[in-house]
Amino acid sequence: MRTLITNGTIVTAEGSYVADVLIDGETIAQIGRDPAAATVTVDETIDATGKYVVPGGIDAHTHMELPFGGTYAKDTFESGSRAAAFGGTTTIIDFAVQGKGQSLREGLDAWMARAEGNTVADYGFHMIMSDVNDATLAEMDTLVAEGVPDFKLFTAYPGVFYSDDGAILRAMQQTARNGGLIMMHAENGMAIDVVAAQTFAAGTTDPIGHGRARMAVFEGEATNRVIRLAEAAGAPVYIVHLSAREALAEVRAARDRGSRVFAETCPQYLFLSLDDLGNGFEGAKFVCSPPLRPRDHWEDLWNGLIKDDLQLVATDHCPFDFHGQKELGRGDFRKIPNGLPGVEDRVDLLHDGGVIGGRISKERWVEIISTAPARMFGLYPRKGAVAVGSDADLLIYDPNRKRTISAAGHHMDVDYSCYEGRVVQGASDIVMSRGSVIVRNGEFTGRKGNGRYLKRAAADHARLS
Ligand code: URP
Ligand code: ZN
Ligand code: ZN
């Protein structure tokens, strides 16, 4: 199958220019004005005049089917990857979970089985480590060699995913040796549990208690601590879902002193705020960890993206229905499953708030939604690029089309939207995964099982800025 995309504006992290793109099979074969492609027989020609041609989005932080708080994140690999595709994301990197007492392999195999044959576009895995011991440390080396080079640990959620400082240091020492990357959920979970119990005892049972207990200072403290542990180990570290200026200050200070510290933020921390947690139990729709912060954190985080102290934006997609799932925490905010839906909205929200909002260039937009995650997680230039030889994961993106985000029209398997009624400018007309059109003008044309598992290389983090 050959496809020719004509006259689009190719937008990459490096620059923009008008050119034609010839796709042969699953990859990009030629790029140029009037390439020799003009003489080649093609199966389809797509006129992209007035549109952008950009690399498909890469969401480096999703949780399909994650067990949490006595229930499961509702999107399956099928429904979640399909929703991602509608929103212009053609690669997800999900988190396989090592259950307590299991080997890493058992956890990875279980997540592989959930994804295989079900995912509509390509996918990879990071590994959540629940136990750090001699056996799992040794397994880390095997996983790095096999294409799962990143490991998430938590200073949050005592009794569930929590690791103490010694365990974190040992895991970091291991990645210093094997080239992997530790990803940290950095909130002081012990301190949070104390304040959450006090908040509840004082009579606050509604979701706002979640936001009040998980203080920004606890995120700043834990971020500093894990960065210092990484420095001691001589390992790079990546902070996931950074939400607060206190944490950003720690990342910036570490980068300024030359440490290999990287961080992502999420759309919810750029567009939603603590106010959303305040509307009685409705606020449960917005319960995630770290929590939404006061809105005066937004511009600090945008500045972090502008100055590259934050390298990318991922969603932390972890959807629970309001009815039946979030409701598990009626009367006690500590029992509300943590997580928000978002995999479908990231690309357009960032185009609207970032590019149309005048905060970042369209090239930086492409970088934070696609190129930077590809580089950070060992997929570049196969993904994250519009280049000869790269996978033809492409968006034909209309930067002028407006749409209204609503649960009534979204494709995530969840009964509400965090962005209900918000109008965004910018939308994907066509979404391609390895040369096949999987979404065209709002219709799904892909296929369950079309997604391939991505073995990822350990990135050379010394060479990332
Ligand atoms: O609230 C969140 N973030 N839920 C998903 C699990 C995690 O900590 O990433
Ligand atoms: Zn987390
Ligand atoms: Zn997460």
Side-chain angles (χ1 to χ4, degrees), residues 216-217 219-220 241-249 269 290 293 297 301:
V217 66
E219 188 181 343
H241 47 45
L242 186 147
S243 74
R245 67 163 75 91
E246 287 82 348
L248 176 59
Y269 304 121
R293 302 296 181 191
H297 288 241
L301 297 186

Side-chain angles (χ1 to χ4, degrees), residues 152 154 185 241:
K152 183 179 178 188
F154 299 71
H185 179 138
H241 47 45

Side-chain angles (χ1 to χ4, degrees), residues 311-333:
Q311 287 70 48
L312 60 104
V313 179
T315 60
D316 195 11
H317 176 76
C318 189
F320 300 99
D321 273 345
F322 179 68
H323 297 289
Q325 292 191 295
K326 291 285 186 180
E327 280 177 334
L328 293 169
R330 237 183 230 289
D332 186 347
F333 65 82

Side-chain angles (χ1 to χ4, degrees), residues 59 76 92 182 193 234 239 296 311 343 356 393 421 433-434 460:
D59 191 339
T76 60
I92 58 169
I182 297 296
D193 277 6
I239 310 296
D296 60 5
Q311 287 70 48
V343 75
I356 302 302
D393 288 7
S433 167
R434 282 186 282 103
D460 183 356

Side-chain angles (χ1 to χ4, degrees), residues 27 160 170 181 197 206 208 213 235 247 252 266 276 286 302 313 342 344 388 402 441 460:
T27 57
V160 188
R170 289 188 80 196
L181 179 66
D206 270 348
I208 190 68
R252 180 170 292 143
C266 309
D276 293 300
F286 300 91
W302 279 109
V313 179
E344 191 167 350
V388 172
K402 293 189 174 164
N441 301 327
D460 183 356

Side-chain angles (χ1 to χ4, degrees), residues 343-363:
V343 75
E344 191 167 350
D345 300 320
R346 178 186 69 123
V347 168
D348 297 344
L349 280 169
L350 290 167
H351 181 266
D352 183 62
V355 183
I356 302 302
R359 293 178 171 107
I360 54 172
S361 65
K362 58 186 184 305
E363 292 78 15

